[in-house]
Amino acid sequence: MGIVNTKAIVLSSLKFGDTSLIVKCYTEEEGVKSYLLRGVLKPKKTGIKSAYFQPLTQLKIIAKHNTKGTLNAIKEVQVVNPYKTIHTDIVKQSVVFFLSEILASSIQEEEQNKTLYSYLETAFTWLDVHDKIANFHLLFLLNLTGFLGFYPDTSQKDKIGFNLLEGNFSNNTADKNVLFKNDFYQFKKLLGINFDTIENVSYSKDERQLVLQMIIEYFKLHLDSFRKPKSLQVLETIFS
């Protein structure tokens, strides 16, 4: 059992008993960790507050990490990069719930990955300070596949379709996993762009939903742990 000083991003929190929370975080130093916060929901609780553990909040924690796979403990916590809009803007809140749900089922590793941590930190800070965010979740998820090991292979861009299972471009449009025609065209718009140019990508509400469904299917085909997010319907309603 060791004491770890690390940055952490909240992925989920679940009520445990009447006054406690089980919180899942992605930590900069040791990957995914779960913590039991005893008594944090008591009315007059001082010190660690439940408000610190809203989805995707960026924290700095001092924690006690166990080696036996049991729940860990947080000794000290402070919010870093506090958000100005994410927890008050209803659209951004919906995006955040959706993305936190996807991250919780997509990232399983209890090991350090500082480039992934940096990507999450940068992306959520960008989301907080920008207004035109209708396509943010699409690009965020597509970029995330690069850190999870299945970003689309773009070396044969001249082909007329994209194979979701193989993760590469293909001319075999008879394969059920191959996107082609309009599906392929809409999917391809996201490749090779960054957050600062995302507002130049135009999608109708139907196209946006279509692309999201394709990306979710892509995740399902490549991650055994992946579960379709319960908050998907809410997100689709927000952007319709």
Side-chain angles (χ1 to χ4, degrees), residues 9 58 117-127 136 195:
I9 293 171
Q58 297 180 35
Y117 190 90
S118 177
Y119 170 65
L120 299 179
E121 192 175 53
T122 303
F124 302 141
T125 302
W126 188 97
L127 175 65
F136 171 86
F195 290 121

Side-chain angles (χ1 to χ4, degrees), residues 109-145:
E109 291 73 24
E110 291 194 29
E111 59 190 40
Q112 186 183 94
N113 184 341
K114 290 200 174 185
T115 54
L116 172 54
Y117 190 90
S118 177
Y119 170 65
L120 299 179
E121 192 175 53
T122 303
F124 302 141
T125 302
W126 188 97
L127 175 65
D128 186 49
V129 298
H130 287 80
D131 298 323
K132 295 180 179 176
I133 58 132
N135 298 327
F136 171 86
H137 58 296
L138 303 178
L139 184 58
F140 174 86
L141 292 176
L142 190 63
N143 286 347
L144 181 63
T145 65

Side-chain angles (χ1 to χ4, degrees), residues 160-162 173 178-188:
I160 61 171
F162 179 78
T173 56
V178 173
L179 307 174
F180 64 105
K181 292 187 177 174
N182 184 53
D183 290 6
F184 176 54
Y185 173 69
Q186 301 303 340
F187 180 80
K188 207 169 152 181

Side-chain angles (χ1 to χ4, degrees), residues 5 30 43 48 56-57 63 66 136 143 159 161 183 209 240:
N5 193 330
E30 297 191 5
I48 295 176
L56 304 188
T57 302
N66 303 317
F136 171 86
N143 286 347
K159 294 190 173 178
D183 290 6
Q209 288 198 12
S240 66

Side-chain angles (χ1 to χ4, degrees), residues 142 152-164 167-173 175-192 201-203 206-207 210-215 218:
L142 190 63
D153 175 357
T154 58
S155 61
Q156 294 180 299
K157 272 190 177 174
D158 54 330
K159 294 190 173 178
I160 61 171
F162 179 78
N163 189 315
L164 290 170
N168 57 22
F169 287 79
S170 170
N171 286 327
N172 181 13
T173 56
D175 188 314
K176 66 180 173 66
N177 292 307
V178 173
L179 307 174
F180 64 105
K181 292 187 177 174
N182 184 53
D183 290 6
F184 176 54
Y185 173 69
Q186 301 303 340
F187 180 80
K188 207 169 152 181
K189 283 184 189 176
L190 288 174
L191 294 172
V201 178
S202 61
Y203 286 123
D206 291 338
E207 289 165 351
L210 173 72
V211 173
L212 182 55
Q213 295 292 351
M214 290 188 284
I215 293 174
Y218 193 41

Side-chain angles (χ1 to χ4, degrees), residues 8-14 21-27 31-37 53-57 59 71-72 74 100-110 225 227:
I9 293 171
V10 179
L11 299 183
S12 67
S13 61
L14 182 69
L21 285 177
I22 294 174
V23 175
K24 188 176 187 179
C25 292
Y26 186 66
T27 71
V32 175
K33 291 288 179 186
S34 293
Y35 302 93
L36 176 58
L37 304 174
F53 301 99
Q54 294 181 74
L56 304 188
T57 302
L59 305 173
L71 290 166
N72 304 286
I74 292 177
S100 63
E101 209 180 336
I102 285 197
L103 289 168
S105 74
S106 300
I107 307 175
Q108 305 293 323
E109 291 73 24
E110 291 194 29
S225 62
R227 296 185 305 277

